[in-house]
Amino acid sequence: MGNHGVGRAMGAAARGFWAGNGDAPVTKEKALAVLDAVAERFRGADAEFEDETLPDEPLGRLMAIAFGPLPPDQEPDDDGEGWYEGIERPFRDRYEFC
């Protein structure tokens, strides 16, 4: 699977999760379990996510629950550095994405 395919597949899985979950609360443990199940087949991939990991996207929402909250010194900012360091980097590290 190409590197953009990983992001598209994980984004689609997250959209499916939220569609089936409705308004039920999602715990950190549940978000991690969902991401673990979806990401395992892509572990270590050279993954490109484009906009899938933005905070308002379905995958980004799961990531925020699983890896958040951001520490006060890493609040999201205009250039996205807080989001990257506090949420996206731990996500990438957990699944060994290049």
Side-chain angles (χ1 to χ4, degrees), residues 10-24:
M10 289 194 66
R15 285 187 292 282
F17 168 78
W18 288 112
N21 189 66
D23 292 330

Side-chain angles (χ1 to χ4, degrees), residues 3-76:
N3 54 1
H4 290 280
V6 172
R8 285 192 292 271
M10 289 194 66
R15 285 187 292 282
F17 168 78
W18 288 112
N21 189 66
D23 292 330
V26 178
T27 63
K28 182 180 210 69
E29 292 76 18
K30 185 171 186 172
L32 277 171
V34 169
L35 290 172
D36 286 350
V38 173
E40 188 53 41
R41 72 181 280 212
F42 305 118
R43 184 173 295 282
D46 181 8
E48 294 290 335
F49 292 93
E50 296 187 17
D51 292 340
E52 298 285 353
T53 59
L54 293 175
D56 58 344
E57 292 295 323
L59 180 57
R61 289 173 50 208
L62 273 176
M63 290 167 54
I65 295 167
F67 297 101
L70 289 172
D73 65 333
Q74 291 183 344
E75 288 301 316

Side-chain angles (χ1 to χ4, degrees), residues 66-67 85 90 93:
F67 297 101
E85 290 299 324
D93 288 349

